[in-house]
Amino acid sequence: MTRTAAVPNVFEQGPNQYASIWSSAVEEELNLRLLDMAKRFHRVLQQQHSGSEQGKPKPSSGGASRLQQLMRRSGLPYYSDCELIMYQKKQTGEEGQGPRGRSIFLTLNSGLERSAEYRKDDLWIIGTVPELFVPNITGPGDRMARPFVLVARSCWHGPNNEGRFEVNLLCAVPANMRKKQQVYALRGPEATTELAMISALQSLKAVKLPLLPSLLQPPDTDQHAASSSMHDEPASSSQGSELQSEVACAVRHVVLQFSLNAEQAAVLQAMQPWFLSGSKACSPLCIIHGPFGTGKSMLLVAAIHLLLRLRNKDGPLKGCRVAVAAHTNAAVDRIMCGLLQSGQTDVLRVGPLRRIDRSLLEVSLHSTAGKRSEAAQELEAMLKEATSVSEQNILKDELARVKAGAERARKKRLKTAAVVGVTCCSAVLPVLDDQQFDVVFLDECSQMVEPLSLLPLARAGCRFAVLSGDPMQLPPLIAHPQQLTQRPGADPAHGLLRPVFVRLASMGHHVHLLRRQYRCHPQIAAISNSQFYGGRLLDGCSAADRAPLVRGLPTLLCLDVRGSQDYASGSHSASNRAEASAIAQVVRGLLGQQHSSEGEESGPMPLTPEMIGVICFHRAQVALVTSLLSGPCGPAAPGPDKNALSSTSADVTVATVDSYQGLEKPIIILSTAVSRVGAFVADPHRLNVALTRAKRHLILVGDAAVLQDTAPAFKAFLAAVRSRPGAYKHCHPGQPVPLASLLLP
């Protein structure tokens, strides 16, 4: 299977070529997702029809009902009793004449699910035979009676009380489609984001986006020189000279305010020409490569401070508005929280309330594409689900503000707010129609496909953009990236998997590398620095800054556990009970251990669950470790109150590598669950993320002999561990793992 949509570095033919190529890539992605569902569907069909002969008459309605039950057990939302209704309507003009229109409705008479299961822009595969296929009929017959299969998208957020909703066909209307007929349906993937991307791409042909030329063509070789000359040469007028001096002064103030290092300060200096008239030669793009722990989010907050500090000055950015966008809500919230904490109050966070950081609710505007769009209703539902008193108090306060009319006031303020935060997917929400922003800060732009990056840029109509990310961490998530290759002769890297960050860098746009990391102990950082960053990173914290939280616990530790790599029936996700058991014992041992309080000499303090994180490469291992931590303490669990320790250990965050991107913990325990060499665990992007989440202690639990041959980074980790006496421990499956056995003498 091959991907045919290859993406060039440069789009010499302009916006039409850009829109056409990327639209093809997104459409191909949708087709691959549908193909994946079709394979699952036909595997279930084979189970039902095993032993039957080809050409067997189509199943009766009872057979279709049994097929629905079988599909549902396999996790496929199949509907055996549906009706497709087509209404012809006439659009009347001034003289009562006009073109004929067509509305198509699908009614689900069986298998209806909760309304929350449905989404607007769900894809639906609809056919006139239960197997949802069109037989190859070459002989004579009644063509109007032949079966058909079509693909449609839902126009509504779900069926009404009668199980009916409107659909739009994504293919030609079959010639033999009747006004009303019995059909069968399979609900496919939601395509809201993909359809929004295609719509944004098509709009580029008609709407002028000031930033677009810089996205399509290499930078002018004179741009960097022109920008530098604006810093060094006197302006042509006294007014220009005064503004240039004010801009330089503002940069120095912000650098001092946020204690920026040299590489971070260089980013603000590169933005200076944006504030000056006559700076058309400078690049409107500022690209930041921010590896782990290099203060990227803080730098973005500082850059926004610079823009707001100068927004009242005459120049291109007078009265500028800023949009903050990212792939995830967490990334947007990090920047918005940073702005609030640093004194910026003219901010507004737009999006579904459930997904917004609770500390931002006071400056949030509830907006969602779902059915429940009333903020008060959403807050009341969230209040019932709150798990702590502090969360309940925050939600009660926000509910009181909303009932007092806060939402109406915030909608008015949306038109003037200096900074608005929104995810890329939510950038298409109707509440943001007609909103324009001069500068867009796009975080995580190495983690999403380029058409998704385009959504906030196109919606904002911006003139300048700050793009930040790390292409050495997790790439965009697309269908089967490893199983699919480009057509022969094409560069496999030049496709949908390549983010805009990488393409712009390959075009020659300047990339600012943040070199100094402030997160990890130098021993932890050294592995990723050498394996993934060519040794270019520097340590902004010392070993003393990241002293052990537990006396005698090594910074790097390997527990060599020779367990079995197991799979549940029909699953591709591995689990390893020996590793999971060892992890549960280590976690409980750590939570029962005393450690020295940093910066204090008053005595030991216990570790808390928030200080420990468990990262697993497989979801099945996440489930297994979570169940063991939630269960009763094993015999090796130390401490006088084992029940209390058990309930505490259940609060430790256990998640996949993908879920941990952007997060950090003082202690990280890493589980691969593998007992044989495999490509998934060896993936350098995923491995880089896994190895850079720990601030003070990184504990690897796994089969050392297998990991040694799996990836160079694992080999480097094991070499570092073995070079430090007492940091490598061999654990026998089924035997206790007391914490004392892991500590240095």
Side-chain angles (χ1 to χ4, degrees):
M1 191 181 304
T2 61
R3 287 183 183 269
T4 60
V7 181
N9 277 348
V10 179
F11 295 87
E12 297 178 349
Q13 300 175 28
N16 287 348
Q17 181 193 21
Y18 183 86
S20 176
I21 289 177
W22 278 120
S23 294
S24 297
V26 176
E27 290 169 2
E28 186 176 62
E29 174 73 6
L30 276 178
N31 286 330
L32 288 168
R33 292 173 63 191
L34 286 171
L35 180 60
D36 183 63
M37 174 163 276
K39 288 181 177 179
R40 293 173 57 201
F41 180 82
H42 284 284
R43 281 197 296 267
V44 178
L45 277 181
Q46 289 175 357
Q47 296 174 15
Q48 188 202 39
H49 295 304
S50 58
S52 64
E53 298 180 357
Q54 291 186 354
K56 182 180 179 180
K58 70 178 183 179
S60 64
S61 59
S65 177
R66 288 193 297 272
L67 179 59
Q68 175 178 298
Q69 296 174 4
L70 188 60
M71 290 292 175
R72 293 299 176 92
R73 285 199 296 270
S74 300
L76 290 169
Y78 177 80
Y79 302 81
S80 63
D81 183 8
C82 311
E83 284 182 323
L84 198 62
I85 305 173
M86 179 171 58
Y87 293 102
Q88 294 285 355
K89 55 185 179 181
K90 184 177 293 185
Q91 298 175 353
T92 57
E94 293 181 359
E95 299 180 0
Q97 300 295 326
R100 295 177 64 85
R102 180 187 289 116
S103 294
I104 300 175
F105 291 84
L106 179 65
T107 303
L108 309 177
N109 296 319
S110 68
L112 273 171
E113 299 156 304
R114 296 182 303 112
S115 60
E117 300 295 327
Y118 300 94
R119 298 288 187 275
K120 184 180 180 182
D121 295 323
D122 278 343
L123 297 184
W124 289 81
I125 300 92
I126 305 168
T128 52
V129 295
E131 295 88 351
L132 300 178
F133 80 102
V134 178
N136 185 17
I137 302 175
T138 57
D142 185 358
R143 295 183 178 273
M144 297 304 292
R146 290 181 179 177
F148 64 78
V149 175
L150 52 84
V151 178
R153 71 174 182 90
S154 172
C155 300
W156 297 0
H157 295 290
N160 61 14
N161 293 335
E162 298 175 348
R164 180 178 300 180
F165 57 97
E166 186 176 1
V167 297
N168 278 348
L169 300 190
L170 300 180
C171 57
V173 179
N176 59 341
M177 180 174 168
R178 300 193 298 270
K179 291 184 178 180
K180 183 176 182 180
Q181 63 191 114
Q182 177 79 19
V183 293
Y184 309 87
L186 176 67
R187 177 163 52 83
E190 180 191 3
T192 301
T193 302
E194 288 80 6
L195 294 174
M197 288 190 278
I198 293 173
S199 176
L201 287 163
Q202 297 305 318
S203 70
L204 295 178
K205 299 177 181 180
V207 179
K208 183 175 177 59
L209 177 62
L211 202 63
L212 192 57
S214 295
L215 297 176
L216 306 185
Q217 299 293 334
D220 188 340
T221 55
D222 297 329
Q223 282 181 354
H224 185 70
S227 299
S228 300
S229 66
M230 290 177 187
H231 302 164
D232 303 330
E233 297 178 6
S236 57
S237 66
S238 59
Q239 182 179 5
S241 178
E242 181 180 351
L243 178 58
Q244 186 171 343
S245 177
E246 290 178 344
V247 172
C249 180
V251 169
R252 289 192 296 270
H253 177 87
V254 173
V255 168
L256 291 174
Q257 178 184 354
F258 288 88
S259 302
L260 302 183
N261 60 38
E263 289 81 16
Q264 294 168 334
V267 173
L268 300 192
Q269 291 164 1
M271 294 170 59
Q272 288 188 61
W274 295 0
F275 300 95
L276 306 175
S277 300
S279 58
K280 296 181 180 179
C282 74
S283 173
L285 298 175
C286 181
I287 306 176
I288 304 170
H289 182 183
F292 63 95
T294 52
K296 174 175 57 65
S297 297
M298 182 193 67
L299 174 59
L300 298 183
V301 171
I304 295 173
H305 268 266
L306 178 64
L307 287 165
L308 300 187
R309 186 179 180 86
L310 294 167
R311 72 190 300 251
N312 294 326
K313 304 295 182 182
D314 291 330
L317 287 177
K318 182 179 176 64
C320 73
R321 301 183 70 207
V322 176
V324 174
H327 182 44
T328 63
N329 286 281
V332 177
D333 290 344
R334 273 196 300 271
I335 299 174
M336 301 299 287
C337 287
L339 289 169
L340 283 181
Q341 293 165 4
S342 57
Q344 291 293 349
T345 57
D346 193 8
V347 300
L348 197 61
R349 177 69 165 93
V350 177
L353 294 183
R354 286 180 179 274
R355 300 181 182 180
I356 294 176
D357 189 285
R358 298 294 185 260
S359 63
L360 293 171
L361 288 179
E362 191 173 357
V363 292
S364 66
L365 177 60
H366 178 59
S367 184
T368 177
K371 288 182 178 178
R372 295 184 299 174
S373 59
E374 292 296 327
Q377 294 178 1
E378 195 73 7
L379 288 166
E380 288 170 351
M382 293 165 62
L383 189 56
K384 294 178 182 178
E385 301 165 3
T387 58
S388 68
V389 175
S390 60
E391 183 182 11
Q392 289 176 348
N393 291 335
I394 292 173
L395 293 172
K396 287 178 181 178
D397 290 344
E398 176 61 11
L399 182 58
R401 287 189 290 265
V402 167
K403 289 183 176 180
E407 280 283 291
R408 291 190 295 272
R410 292 169 190 170
K411 286 180 181 179
K412 292 180 180 178
R413 195 161 68 84
L414 178 60
K415 300 177 182 178
T416 60
V419 184
V420 174
V422 64
T423 62
C424 293
C425 294
S426 294
V428 300
L429 291 172
V431 72
L432 292 169
D433 288 348
D434 302 321
Q435 295 291 318
Q436 188 167 0
F437 299 89
D438 302 276
V439 185
V440 170
F441 282 73
L442 185 58
D443 198 10
E444 295 182 334
C445 69
S446 59
Q447 197 181 343
M448 55 186 135
V449 297
E450 182 164 341
L452 183 57
S453 301
L454 183 68
L455 285 182
L457 300 177
R459 287 281 281 174
C462 60
R463 294 176 289 155
F464 303 96
V466 178
L467 312 179
S468 64
D470 181 8
M472 301 311 301
Q473 296 190 43
L474 291 175
L477 181 63
I478 64 173
H480 308 296
Q482 296 178 347
Q483 288 78 7
L484 298 168
T485 59
Q486 295 288 341
R487 59 189 177 188
D491 187 338
H494 291 195
L496 192 64
L497 189 61
R498 182 174 63 157
V500 65
F501 187 105
V502 176
R503 186 179 68 82
L504 292 176
S506 65
M507 284 172 58
H509 286 278
H510 179 69
V511 177
H512 297 271
L513 173 64
L514 305 182
R515 298 182 60 202
R516 196 170 295 274
Q517 73 84 20
Y518 299 90
R519 173 187 298 163
C520 302
H521 187 290
Q523 291 180 19
I524 299 174
I527 298 170
S528 286
N529 188 17
S530 63
Q531 295 297 313
F532 306 114
Y533 298 98
R536 293 176 293 168
L537 304 187
L538 304 173
D539 291 317
C541 57
S542 66
D545 297 326
R546 297 291 180 263
L549 288 176
V550 176
R551 292 189 184 98
L553 186 66
T555 299
L556 298 176
L557 177 65
C558 174
L559 303 185
D560 188 354
V561 179
R562 308 291 172 88
S564 174
Q565 178 177 340
D566 300 318
Y567 295 91
S569 177
S571 172
H572 298 286
S573 185
S575 63
N576 188 312
R577 180 163 289 275
E579 286 186 23
S581 177
I583 290 170
Q585 294 183 59
V586 171
V587 168
R588 291 191 173 112
L590 289 170
L591 292 175
Q593 177 67 31
Q594 303 295 304
H595 77 97
S596 298
S597 177
E598 184 181 2
E600 298 181 4
E601 299 180 358
S602 58
M605 293 177 58
L607 285 169
T608 63
E610 292 75 21
M611 296 179 179
I612 305 173
V614 179
I615 300 179
C616 304
F617 278 77
H618 294 272
R619 289 189 179 91
Q621 186 72 347
V622 170
L624 180 56
V625 172
T626 301
S627 67
L628 292 180
L629 289 177
S630 301
C633 283
D641 189 350
K642 295 184 178 182
N643 291 329
L645 282 175
S646 178
S647 62
T648 304
S649 63
D651 297 328
V652 170
T653 302
V654 185
T656 61
V657 179
D658 300 58
S659 299
Y660 256 99
Q661 176 150 305
L663 302 179
E664 60 183 37
K665 295 281 185 179
I667 301 176
I668 286 291
I669 304 173
L670 180 60
S671 172
T672 65
V674 299
S675 56
R676 53 183 178 271
V677 175
F680 181 73
V681 173
D683 176 70
H685 299 92
R686 184 166 281 102
L687 189 49
N688 183 32
V689 173
L691 293 174
T692 56
R693 303 303 98 192
K695 298 175 68 175
R696 297 173 184 260
H697 301 278
L698 178 58
I699 304 173
L700 175 63
V701 179
D703 191 325
V706 171
L707 298 178
Q708 176 84 13
D709 298 330
T710 296
F714 279 128
K715 187 174 183 179
F717 180 95
L718 292 170
V721 166
R722 288 178 172 129
S723 69
R724 295 172 173 84
Y728 173 86
K729 307 287 184 179
H730 184 75
C731 301
H732 296 282
Q735 293 186 359
V737 187
L739 183 64
S741 68
L742 308 181
L743 304 181
L744 300 176

